[in-house]
Amino acid sequence: VGIENEYMVVDKELKPAPQAIRDYFINENPLWKRELGASQIEFNSLPISVETDHEKLLNHVKQQEETVAKQLEKYDCHILRMGFYPGNLSDIKITDISERYQSILDKYSMYRKEYFDCNLGGIDMGQHINAMIGGGQSSQLNLQVRQNDAIGLLNMIYELTPLFVALSSNSTIIDK
């Protein structure tokens, strides 16, 4: 398995850090990547066997978080992982290297109205989809499976997903 974690880089007032700070950090750390939000960074762990080394995976991710936190101190910034940025949507800026993400954003724009109502009270949240994605942080578990086992595992995951969401909603995985 491997873990993919997304974080937001914020300043001391918990405002999203400028993209330049994010980019300086990314250039110094090849294991970290840019994300759609100009203040977002992403970490992808090395694949590790969960049969024998699940603690190694958790320790690897925790060590990376500690390292990034120390490196961001020189920019007077911190990493934030709490589901979604708690401030104004207008504070969230989209990366200026948007070509990588544009096709995904175009698909969201094309299909979202067809499948669900984007209105929250009197506000059309569909107009803010880029900021909502750019302000979100998530943890994803990537599993390597044999092709013959994939459909059975996917069906099992569909059954377990509501339980995982209930257990992990607004909680950290790394810190138990």
Side-chain angles (χ1 to χ4, degrees), residues 124-137:
D124 178 7
M125 296 305 290
Q127 296 176 21
H128 304 285
I129 193 73
N130 295 5
M132 291 189 306
I133 296 169
Q137 306 99 55

Side-chain angles (χ1 to χ4, degrees), residues 15 131 163:
K15 297 281 187 193
L163 177 63

Side-chain angles (χ1 to χ4, degrees), residues 88-101:
N88 260 327
L89 285 176
S90 61
D91 292 344
I92 300 169
K93 306 297 180 228
I94 302 305
T95 186
D96 62 10
I97 308 169
S98 62
E99 304 84 43
R100 175 178 169 195
Y101 306 100

